[in-house]
Amino acid sequence: MLKQKKRPLFRIILLLLLALAAGSAFYIHQDWQRQQQQLAALQLTLSDSVRLRIPRGTSLTGIAKLAAVDMPVDAAMFRALAHRQNIATSLQAGVYDFTRGQNMSEVLQALADGKVAVERITLIEGRTFADWRRQLAADTRLVQRIPQMSAREILLTLGIEHANLEGLFLPDTYFFQPGDSDLMILRRAHKQLKKTLAKHWENRAADNVFKTPYEALILASIVEKETGVAKERPLIASVFSNRLRVGMRLQADPTVIYGLGDDFDGNLTRAHLRKQDTPYNTYMRAGLPPTPIAISSAAAIAAVFNPSKSNYYYFVATGDGEHYFSKNLREHNNAVNRYQRKRRT
């Protein structure tokens, strides 16, 4: 009789075990299916290029919603994929560019690695600050701040102690992220210039003709405008250094042109040189002009701190981009006549 009473309990337990086994098998099957779906989703590729902007402080849910707008997964799947790759807490803010054909695994890893989009702008030597300002204003990738600022406001914002912006930046290719401003580019270019000047000033020659790094920068801008061939920079720097050393006027045409400003029509005359006085007319005034006349390259700056050792005081263009250098006025006048006749024939 006791054995017969135990049978219903045994059957109930057996049924429960079978139900648990079935439920576990169902759960395992469902989990396997979910994993397969996630694996497949990771291989989904973008059908077009996508730019994804993630503001600072955005949560995983927020990032998922932003990504789901242009990517082939919904927000819930995006979150699941991030957890699957163990990077759910590693996704970084920034602007990202993804190209057609990239899969979701690559997208997520890029977000975790912080591989933000990088733009570039090349600011060229020999230009004036006004030229750079126009170039920056025309670049729609940059947040525009300086068009609304005066020169004085720019100086104060950048912490520049000089009264004039001309020449106070180093030309180079600068990389930036979308959302960066034109002012950020100028800040970096000014910082690079200060580093370059400090390095050369620290290692300046004992017979250097400059009292301050700014004076060297002024002469570097003149060398930059006078040089058509890079290898001549140290020689041209030596001519101007020699002149400064003995008190001769620099007589540099580019300084006169800079002083004329918008009045210069492209034709530099003897009257401009000898009669039209400005603070930048180095034919009529001794010494350096008050500010740089252009933005100098690192090579021009290096040249004025380390000019060639020469006895040259004059040079004239030969017509092929190079110059003929002379030690005295008679030799120079002969060279001028020779190369002027050559250009006329």
Side-chain angles (χ1 to χ4, degrees):
M1 292 295 292
L2 291 174
K3 290 183 179 180
Q4 289 179 350
K5 288 181 179 179
K6 289 180 180 179
R7 286 178 184 171
L9 181 59
F10 174 77
R11 289 174 182 172
I12 291 171
I13 293 173
L14 180 60
L15 289 172
L16 287 173
L17 290 173
L18 289 172
L20 287 172
S24 178
F26 177 77
Y27 176 80
I28 292 172
H29 178 70
Q30 289 289 93
D31 187 58
W32 180 83
Q33 283 188 320
R34 185 163 50 252
Q35 291 185 37
Q36 295 305 304
Q37 289 173 349
Q38 291 176 358
L39 286 171
L42 286 172
Q43 299 309 309
L44 289 173
T45 59
L46 303 179
S47 59
D48 205 350
S49 297
V50 173
R51 169 160 282 189
L52 181 62
R53 298 177 183 272
I54 303 175
R56 293 184 184 277
T58 306
S59 65
L60 174 61
T61 298
I63 295 173
K65 289 178 179 178
L66 293 171
V69 173
D70 295 306
M71 295 186 179
V73 292
D74 60 27
M77 179 58 76
F78 184 93
R79 292 197 305 272
L81 297 180
H83 283 292
R84 180 180 182 83
Q85 292 198 191
N86 295 317
I87 55 176
T89 60
S90 302
L91 305 189
Q92 301 181 44
V95 179
Y96 296 83
D97 281 335
F98 300 107
T99 58
R100 179 180 179 179
Q102 280 189 280
N103 62 42
M104 291 305 302
S105 177
E106 294 170 331
V107 167
L108 284 160
Q109 194 59 54
L111 295 176
D113 293 340
K115 293 183 178 179
V116 295
V118 176
E119 307 281 5
R120 69 178 66 193
I121 185 170
T122 300
L123 299 171
I124 301 172
E125 65 271 12
R127 305 283 177 85
T128 63
F129 177 73
D131 294 330
W132 273 28
R133 189 166 184 164
R134 283 189 289 270
Q135 181 182 352
L136 290 168
D139 198 317
T140 57
R141 300 169 301 170
L142 290 165
V143 174
Q144 297 294 321
R145 291 187 60 190
I146 63 174
Q148 292 77 40
M149 301 174 71
S150 67
R152 179 64 177 164
E153 288 171 331
I154 295 172
L155 285 166
L156 289 173
T157 303
L158 296 181
I160 296 175
E161 297 178 358
H162 297 285
N164 191 302
L165 284 162
E166 194 65 84
L168 296 178
F169 308 94
L170 191 73
D172 203 346
T173 295
Y174 291 95
F175 296 89
F176 63 95
Q177 294 182 32
D180 286 351
S181 72
D182 48 9
L183 203 58
M184 292 173 68
I185 301 296
L186 289 182
R187 189 184 303 279
R188 290 167 57 196
H190 179 62
K191 184 177 181 180
Q192 288 301 108
L193 177 78
K194 290 200 298 183
K195 285 183 178 179
T196 300
L197 284 176
K199 178 185 70 174
H200 288 296
W201 184 253
E202 184 70 22
N203 298 302
R204 66 190 184 279
D207 61 348
N208 193 276
V209 296
F210 311 111
K211 296 178 181 178
T212 66
Y214 189 66
E215 288 186 350
L217 185 63
I218 293 172
L219 187 59
S221 72
I222 299 173
V223 171
E224 187 68 61
K225 296 297 288 185
E226 289 279 17
T227 309
V229 179
K231 67 181 181 181
E232 287 190 347
R233 284 192 182 104
L235 265 180
I236 289 179
S238 77
V239 170
F240 289 128
S241 293
N242 289 342
R243 285 187 164 222
L244 287 171
R245 191 171 285 111
V246 300
M248 289 178 64
R249 293 180 182 178
L250 296 182
Q251 297 184 326
D253 291 357
T255 66
V256 179
I257 293 170
Y258 185 85
L260 293 173
D262 294 337
D263 292 334
F264 181 62
D265 62 2
N267 180 33
L268 189 64
T269 65
R270 186 175 294 273
H272 287 140
L273 303 178
R274 307 294 182 185
K275 297 179 180 180
Q276 196 156 345
D277 187 25
T278 75
Y280 294 87
N281 191 327
T282 53
Y283 280 82
M284 300 181 70
R285 298 191 181 208
L288 293 163
T291 73
I293 61 169
I295 294 167
S296 307
S297 64
I301 294 171
V304 299
F305 278 104
N306 296 283
S308 299
K309 300 297 182 182
S310 80
N311 295 320
Y312 294 134
Y313 290 86
Y314 303 89
F315 60 86
V316 62
T318 59
D320 57 2
E322 299 191 20
H323 295 85
Y324 181 87
F325 294 84
S326 301
K327 297 177 182 179
N328 56 62
L329 183 58
R330 183 175 64 180
E331 183 184 359
H332 175 64
N333 288 336
N334 289 336
V336 169
N337 291 333
R338 181 164 68 253
Y339 289 110
Q340 282 182 345
R341 284 198 305 271
K342 180 180 177 181
R343 285 195 290 271
R344 287 196 294 265
T345 58

